[in-house]
Amino acid sequence: MRIQDTPEEWPVTATATPFTGNKTSVRTDEVEMPDGSRVKRDYQVHPGSVAVLALDQDDRVIVLRQYRHPVRQRLWEIPAGLLDIPGENPLAAAQRELYEEAHVKAEDWRILIDVYTSPGGCDEAVRIFLAREISVADGERFEVSEEEADMELARVSLDELVRGALAGELHNNCLVTGALALRAALSGDGLDALRPADASWPARPFDA
C-alpha cells in the first residue's frame, strides 16, 4: 500500500497573534472540529528553513557544532538557515547557508528529504538538500556573529553520524534526518534517483 500526506484545512472561526518575535510568531486559531465543536490551537508560525548535507570527495559530511540555548547543549548540525524572504528559492537559500557557515560551494545539488519539524505545535517546513562535488568558495569568509562566532567545523563519515544518531549521542533534527535519509537513498535506488534541486515544494511555494 502506498501512503501519502494530503492537503486538508478545517474551518478557522477566529484567529489571533498574541506574540510576534523577530523571525517567528505565535498564533491562536479557533478550529471547528468534524463534530462541530470548536477548540483553540496555539502554534508557532515559522518562515521555513533549508539545510544542506554536503559530501566531500571522501564521502565525509560537513558538520558544525553550535550552542543552542533552548536545549542548553552544543549540538552537531549540518549547515542550515531560515527562508528569510517570502517566496525565496530554497536552493538559493541553501547555497547561501553553505557558503556562510562552511565557506564551500557545490556543483551537484539534489533534494534529500522534506519534513515538518514539529507539526503538532509549529508550521515549520524544512527542505534538506544533498550537495556534492564541493570546493572552497571564492572570496573572503562570511563574517559570523553571536552563537555562530563560536562554531566548530568538522568532516565526519556517514557511518559515524548514523551510529551517533542511533546511540542517542546526536540530536539535531536536520542532521539526524539527513543522515538517515542519505543512508536509505544509498541502500535504495541511489543518489541519482533523488528529486532535482528545483522540484516543487507545496509547503513553501517559491519563485523560480
Side-chain angles (χ1 to χ4, degrees), residues 51-53 61 78 112-113 115 128-130 158 161-162 172-185:
V52 184
L53 195 152
V61 179
I78 56 177
L112 190 53
I113 197 165
V115 294
I128 303 177
F129 289 89
L130 173 67
L158 178 62
L161 295 180
V162 171
N172 176 263
N173 185 298
C174 292
L175 172 64
V176 171
T177 302
L180 295 179
L182 178 58
R183 171 56 59 78

Side-chain angles (χ1 to χ4, degrees), residues 72-86:
R72 307 301 199 273
Q73 290 196 35
R74 190 183 291 267
L75 300 179
W76 284 104
E77 308 178 350
I78 56 177
L82 298 176
L83 292 169
D84 294 311
I85 305 168

Side-chain angles (χ1 to χ4, degrees), residues 8-13 30-34 39:
E8 185 167 347
E9 188 169 354
W10 293 358
V12 175
T13 56
E30 185 178 75
V31 184
E32 185 175 314
M33 300 286 105
V39 300

Side-chain angles (χ1 to χ4, degrees), residues 82-158:
L82 298 176
L83 292 169
D84 294 311
I85 305 168
E88 183 178 16
N89 188 300
L91 175 58
Q95 292 170 332
R96 180 188 68 233
E97 294 300 331
L98 187 60
Y99 159 70
E100 290 182 357
E101 296 192 350
H103 196 63
V104 299
K105 60 184 179 180
E107 299 301 323
D108 186 272
W109 290 83
R110 309 269 174 163
I111 296 169
L112 190 53
I113 197 165
D114 296 329
V115 294
Y116 290 115
T117 56
S118 184
C122 180
D123 71 351
E124 180 184 15
V126 180
R127 170 158 281 184
I128 303 177
F129 289 89
L130 173 67
R132 294 182 292 172
E133 298 178 26
I134 66 171
S135 60
V136 176
D138 301 326
E140 297 181 359
R141 294 191 67 95
F142 180 78
E143 186 175 347
V144 295
S145 60
E146 300 175 351
E147 288 92 343
E148 292 183 351
D150 193 40
M151 286 193 308
E152 174 186 350
L153 272 73
R155 299 189 181 197
V156 181
S157 71
L158 178 62

